[in-house]
Amino acid sequence: MTLFRLDGKRALVTGGSRGIGLAAAHDLIRLGARVTLAARHEDTLKTAANAIGAQWVVADVSTPEGVAAAVTKAGDVDILVSNAGGPPPGKPSEVSEAAWQAGYDTTFLSAVRLANAVLPGMRQRQWGRIIAITSLTVGRPAPTLPVSNAMRAAVTNYLKTLALEVAPDGVTCNTVAPGYTATDRLKALHDNPADTDKLIARIPARRFGQPNEVAAAVAFLATVEAAYMTGQELLVDGGWSI
Ligand code: NAD
Protein backbone atom coordinates (compact mmCIF):
# COMPACT_ATOMS: atom_id res chain seq x y z
CA MET A 1 0.00 0.00 0.00
CA THR A 2 1.24 3.49 -0.84
CA LEU A 3 1.37 5.62 2.27
CA PHE A 4 0.22 9.21 2.66
CA ARG A 5 -1.79 9.61 -0.55
CA LEU A 6 -4.74 12.01 -0.79
CA ASP A 7 -6.06 11.10 -4.24
CA GLY A 8 -9.69 12.05 -4.70
CA LYS A 9 -9.75 14.37 -1.68
CA ARG A 10 -10.66 18.04 -1.96
CA ALA A 11 -8.90 20.64 0.15
CA LEU A 12 -9.52 24.30 0.91
CA VAL A 13 -6.56 26.36 2.13
CA THR A 14 -7.33 29.89 3.28
CA GLY A 15 -4.63 32.54 3.32
CA GLY A 16 -3.13 30.40 0.60
CA SER A 17 -1.48 32.95 -1.67
CA ARG A 18 1.92 32.86 0.03
CA GLY A 19 3.96 31.64 2.99
CA ILE A 20 2.84 28.70 5.09
CA GLY A 21 -0.61 28.41 3.46
CA LEU A 22 0.83 28.19 -0.03
CA ALA A 23 3.46 25.64 1.03
CA ALA A 24 0.76 23.50 2.69
CA ALA A 25 -1.39 23.68 -0.44
CA HIS A 26 1.56 22.60 -2.57
CA ASP A 27 2.19 19.55 -0.37
CA LEU A 28 -1.48 18.54 -0.47
CA ILE A 29 -1.41 18.73 -4.28
CA ARG A 30 1.75 16.61 -4.39
CA LEU A 31 -0.09 13.99 -2.33
CA GLY A 32 -2.91 13.94 -4.89
CA ALA A 33 -5.55 16.30 -3.43
CA ARG A 34 -7.47 18.85 -5.48
CA VAL A 35 -6.84 22.16 -3.75
CA THR A 36 -8.61 25.52 -3.74
CA LEU A 37 -6.69 28.54 -2.45
CA ALA A 38 -8.59 31.44 -0.89
CA ALA A 39 -7.04 34.85 -0.22
CA ARG A 40 -7.91 38.50 -0.68
CA HIS A 41 -5.77 39.75 -3.56
CA GLU A 42 -6.50 38.35 -7.00
CA ASP A 43 -3.14 39.06 -8.65
CA THR A 44 -0.90 37.27 -6.13
CA LEU A 45 -3.48 34.56 -5.54
CA LYS A 46 -3.86 33.74 -9.24
CA THR A 47 -0.10 33.60 -9.78
CA ALA A 48 0.40 31.37 -6.74
CA ALA A 49 -2.47 29.04 -7.70
CA ASN A 50 -1.28 28.66 -11.28
CA ALA A 51 2.25 27.89 -10.09
CA ILE A 52 1.12 24.89 -8.04
CA GLY A 53 -1.93 23.75 -10.05
CA ALA A 54 -4.64 24.84 -7.61
CA GLN A 55 -8.06 26.46 -8.09
CA TRP A 56 -8.44 29.88 -6.53
CA VAL A 57 -11.11 32.15 -5.13
CA VAL A 58 -10.84 35.72 -3.96
CA ALA A 59 -12.29 35.71 -0.45
CA ASP A 60 -11.82 37.65 2.76
CA VAL A 61 -12.41 34.97 5.38
CA SER A 62 -12.98 37.54 8.14
CA THR A 63 -16.52 37.91 6.75
CA PRO A 64 -19.38 35.38 6.46
CA GLU A 65 -19.65 36.20 2.73
CA GLY A 66 -15.95 35.47 2.22
CA VAL A 67 -16.24 32.12 3.99
CA ALA A 68 -19.30 31.20 1.92
CA ALA A 69 -17.52 32.14 -1.33
CA ALA A 70 -14.44 30.08 -0.43
CA VAL A 71 -16.42 26.97 0.54
CA THR A 72 -18.73 27.21 -2.48
CA LYS A 73 -15.78 27.37 -4.88
CA ALA A 74 -13.95 24.50 -3.17
CA GLY A 75 -16.91 22.09 -3.43
CA ASP A 76 -17.16 19.14 -1.04
CA VAL A 77 -14.27 19.95 1.26
CA ASP A 78 -12.58 16.91 2.83
CA ILE A 79 -9.58 18.83 4.17
CA LEU A 80 -9.83 22.34 5.60
CA VAL A 81 -6.66 24.28 6.32
CA SER A 82 -7.67 27.43 8.19
CA ASN A 83 -4.84 29.89 7.87
CA ALA A 84 -5.37 33.63 7.59
CA GLY A 85 -2.81 36.31 8.22
CA GLY A 86 -1.76 36.96 11.79
CA PRO A 87 -2.88 40.05 13.75
CA PRO A 88 -0.48 43.03 13.94
CA PRO A 89 1.83 43.57 16.94
CA GLY A 90 1.16 46.06 19.75
CA LYS A 91 1.36 46.75 23.47
CA PRO A 92 -1.27 44.64 25.29
CA SER A 93 -2.71 47.62 27.20
CA GLU A 94 -3.00 49.73 24.06
CA VAL A 95 -4.87 47.45 21.66
CA SER A 96 -7.99 49.24 20.39
CA GLU A 97 -11.44 47.63 20.42
CA ALA A 98 -11.33 47.74 16.64
CA ALA A 99 -8.08 45.75 16.59
CA TRP A 100 -9.50 43.16 19.01
CA GLN A 101 -12.58 42.84 16.82
CA ALA A 102 -10.49 42.48 13.65
CA GLY A 103 -8.38 39.77 15.30
CA TYR A 104 -11.52 37.99 16.50
CA ASP A 105 -13.11 38.09 13.04
CA THR A 106 -10.00 37.12 11.06
CA THR A 107 -8.31 34.60 13.31
CA PHE A 108 -11.03 33.10 15.51
CA LEU A 109 -14.44 33.50 13.88
CA SER A 110 -13.08 32.59 10.43
CA ALA A 111 -11.97 29.21 11.83
CA VAL A 112 -15.40 28.62 13.39
CA ARG A 113 -17.36 29.69 10.30
CA LEU A 114 -15.19 27.61 7.97
CA ALA A 115 -15.50 24.53 10.17
CA ASN A 116 -19.28 24.96 10.43
CA ALA A 117 -19.54 25.27 6.65
CA VAL A 118 -17.56 22.11 5.83
CA LEU A 119 -18.67 19.88 8.71
CA PRO A 120 -22.07 18.70 7.42
CA GLY A 121 -20.48 17.25 4.26
CA MET A 122 -17.60 15.71 6.19
CA ARG A 123 -20.02 14.04 8.57
CA GLN A 124 -22.11 12.75 5.70
CA ARG A 125 -19.00 11.24 4.08
CA GLN A 126 -17.69 10.09 7.50
CA TRP A 127 -14.26 11.54 6.69
CA GLY A 128 -12.75 14.94 7.31
CA ARG A 129 -9.66 16.83 8.39
CA ILE A 130 -9.93 20.25 10.03
CA ILE A 131 -6.54 21.83 10.57
CA ALA A 132 -5.82 25.35 11.78
CA ILE A 133 -2.48 27.12 11.68
CA THR A 134 -1.88 28.76 15.05
CA SER A 135 1.46 29.72 16.59
CA LEU A 136 4.05 28.75 19.18
CA THR A 137 2.63 31.70 21.16
CA VAL A 138 -0.24 29.46 22.33
CA GLY A 139 0.76 28.81 25.93
CA ARG A 140 3.99 30.80 25.40
CA PRO A 141 2.70 34.34 24.78
CA ALA A 142 4.94 36.70 22.78
CA PRO A 143 5.04 40.06 24.66
CA THR A 144 4.19 42.15 21.58
CA LEU A 145 1.52 39.96 19.97
CA PRO A 146 -1.46 40.25 22.37
CA VAL A 147 -4.23 39.71 19.81
CA SER A 148 -2.47 36.78 18.21
CA ASN A 149 -1.73 35.19 21.61
CA ALA A 150 -5.37 35.42 22.68
CA MET A 151 -7.06 34.42 19.44
CA ARG A 152 -4.81 31.45 18.71
CA ALA A 153 -5.38 30.08 22.19
CA ALA A 154 -9.11 30.41 21.48
CA VAL A 155 -8.79 28.56 18.16
CA THR A 156 -6.78 25.80 19.84
CA ASN A 157 -9.34 25.15 22.56
CA TYR A 158 -12.25 25.51 20.15
CA LEU A 159 -10.82 22.81 17.87
CA LYS A 160 -10.02 20.52 20.82
CA THR A 161 -13.65 20.85 21.90
CA LEU A 162 -14.97 20.29 18.38
CA ALA A 163 -12.67 17.26 18.08
CA LEU A 164 -14.56 15.62 20.94
CA GLU A 165 -17.91 16.09 19.19
CA VAL A 166 -16.93 14.96 15.70
CA ALA A 167 -14.50 12.12 16.47
CA PRO A 168 -17.24 9.46 16.04
CA ASP A 169 -17.87 10.82 12.52
CA GLY A 170 -14.34 10.19 11.24
CA VAL A 171 -13.48 13.89 11.39
CA THR A 172 -10.28 14.99 13.09
CA CYS A 173 -9.48 18.52 14.30
CA ASN A 174 -5.90 19.54 14.99
CA THR A 175 -3.69 22.63 15.04
CA VAL A 176 -0.20 23.15 13.65
CA ALA A 177 1.74 25.73 15.64
CA PRO A 178 4.67 27.20 13.70
CA GLY A 179 7.69 28.69 15.34
CA TYR A 180 9.64 31.49 13.66
CA THR A 181 9.19 30.67 9.98
CA ALA A 182 10.83 32.53 7.08
CA THR A 183 7.82 34.20 5.40
CA ASP A 184 6.75 37.74 4.50
CA ARG A 185 5.00 38.01 7.88
CA LEU A 186 8.20 37.18 9.76
CA LYS A 187 10.15 39.71 7.67
CA ALA A 188 7.55 42.38 8.49
CA LEU A 189 7.66 41.62 12.23
CA HIS A 190 11.47 41.31 12.47
CA ASP A 191 13.11 43.71 10.01
CA ASN A 192 16.11 44.70 12.14
CA PRO A 193 19.17 42.46 11.38
CA ALA A 194 20.64 42.82 14.92
CA ASP A 195 17.33 41.72 16.51
CA THR A 196 17.04 38.89 14.00
CA ASP A 197 20.49 37.57 14.99
CA LYS A 198 19.52 37.67 18.68
CA LEU A 199 16.29 35.87 17.94
CA ILE A 200 18.00 33.14 15.93
CA ALA A 201 20.51 32.64 18.76
CA ARG A 202 17.55 31.76 21.06
CA ILE A 203 16.18 29.09 18.72
CA PRO A 204 17.70 25.68 19.56
CA ALA A 205 17.93 24.84 15.81
CA ARG A 206 19.78 28.21 15.29
CA ARG A 207 17.74 29.10 12.22
CA PHE A 208 14.26 30.10 11.15
CA GLY A 209 11.99 27.34 9.92
CA GLN A 210 10.99 27.10 6.28
CA PRO A 211 7.33 27.17 5.14
CA ASN A 212 7.67 23.67 3.69
CA GLU A 213 8.69 22.35 7.12
CA VAL A 214 5.40 23.58 8.60
CA ALA A 215 3.54 22.37 5.50
CA ALA A 216 4.82 18.83 6.04
CA ALA A 217 3.08 18.70 9.43
CA VAL A 218 -0.16 19.96 7.87
CA ALA A 219 0.06 17.37 5.09
CA PHE A 220 0.65 14.56 7.57
CA LEU A 221 -2.40 15.53 9.64
CA ALA A 222 -4.48 15.49 6.44
CA THR A 223 -3.63 11.90 5.57
CA VAL A 224 -5.65 8.74 6.07
CA GLU A 225 -2.85 7.48 8.30
CA ALA A 226 -3.39 10.34 10.79
CA ALA A 227 -7.00 9.23 11.45
CA TYR A 228 -6.40 8.42 15.13
CA MET A 229 -4.75 11.77 15.93
CA THR A 230 -7.24 14.42 16.98
CA GLY A 231 -7.44 17.41 19.31
CA GLN A 232 -3.66 17.82 19.10
CA GLU A 233 -1.33 20.79 18.77
CA LEU A 234 1.66 19.95 16.58
CA LEU A 235 4.55 22.35 17.22
CA VAL A 236 7.03 22.98 14.40
CA ASP A 237 9.42 25.37 16.09
CA GLY A 238 13.05 24.19 15.93
CA GLY A 239 12.92 23.29 19.62
CA TRP A 240 11.80 26.72 20.93
CA SER A 241 9.11 25.30 23.20
CA ILE A 242 11.18 22.52 24.80
P1 NAD B 1 1.79 35.55 5.53
O1 NAD B 1 1.45 36.91 6.05
O2 NAD B 1 3.02 35.37 4.72
O3 NAD B 1 0.56 34.94 4.70
C1 NAD B 1 -0.74 35.11 5.19
C2 NAD B 1 -1.75 34.76 4.14
O4 NAD B 1 -3.05 35.04 4.68
C3 NAD B 1 -1.67 35.56 2.86
O5 NAD B 1 -1.97 34.70 1.78
C4 NAD B 1 -2.76 36.60 3.02
O6 NAD B 1 -3.24 37.08 1.78
C5 NAD B 1 -3.80 35.80 3.75
N1 NAD B 1 -4.81 36.55 4.47
C6 NAD B 1 -4.63 37.48 5.44
N2 NAD B 1 -5.83 37.91 5.88
C7 NAD B 1 -6.77 37.24 5.19
C8 NAD B 1 -8.19 37.25 5.18
N3 NAD B 1 -8.89 38.04 5.98
N4 NAD B 1 -8.84 36.42 4.32
C9 NAD B 1 -8.14 35.60 3.48
N5 NAD B 1 -6.80 35.56 3.46
C10 NAD B 1 -6.13 36.36 4.29
O7 NAD B 1 1.78 34.64 6.82
P2 NAD B 1 2.61 33.32 7.18
O8 NAD B 1 3.88 33.74 7.80
O9 NAD B 1 2.58 32.38 6.06
O10 NAD B 1 1.72 32.77 8.39
C11 NAD B 1 0.57 31.98 8.20
C12 NAD B 1 -0.09 31.86 9.56
O11 NAD B 1 0.85 31.30 10.50
C13 NAD B 1 -0.52 33.21 10.10
O12 NAD B 1 -1.71 33.05 10.82
C14 NAD B 1 0.62 33.56 11.03
O13 NAD B 1 0.28 34.46 12.01
C15 NAD B 1 0.98 32.17 11.59
N6 NAD B 1 2.32 32.12 12.13
C16 NAD B 1 3.39 32.49 11.38
C17 NAD B 1 4.66 32.45 11.95
C18 NAD B 1 5.89 32.86 11.16
O14 NAD B 1 6.97 32.96 11.76
N7 NAD B 1 5.79 33.10 9.87
C19 NAD B 1 4.84 32.02 13.27
C20 NAD B 1 3.73 31.63 13.99
C21 NAD B 1 2.47 31.69 13.42
Side-chain angles (χ1 to χ4, degrees), residues 121-213:
M122 289 180 174
R123 288 179 126 160
Q124 207 174 22
R125 294 185 296 280
Q126 291 285 290
W127 201 96
R129 301 285 183 265
I130 295 177
I131 301 160
I133 307 301
T134 59
S135 172
L136 57 76
T137 59
V138 174
R140 294 154 287 275
T144 58
L145 290 173
V147 181
S148 177
N149 297 339
M151 296 305 152
R152 293 182 195 292
V155 170
T156 302
N157 260 1
Y158 157 66
L159 281 188
K160 282 177 192 257
T161 315
L162 184 64
L164 294 170
E165 180 187 337
V166 299
D169 300 314
V171 179
T172 68
C173 305
N174 293 290
T175 57
V176 172
Y180 294 94
T181 311
T183 64
D184 293 344
R185 173 167 167 80
L186 189 72
K187 275 182 223 142
L189 287 173
H190 300 278
D191 57 356
N192 174 330
D195 289 349
T196 301
D197 289 347
K198 275 191 215 154
L199 181 58
I200 288 175
R202 292 176 60 201
I203 301 171
R206 300 288 184 267
R207 65 175 178 85
F208 290 143
Q210 292 301 315
N212 66 302
E213 294 175 306

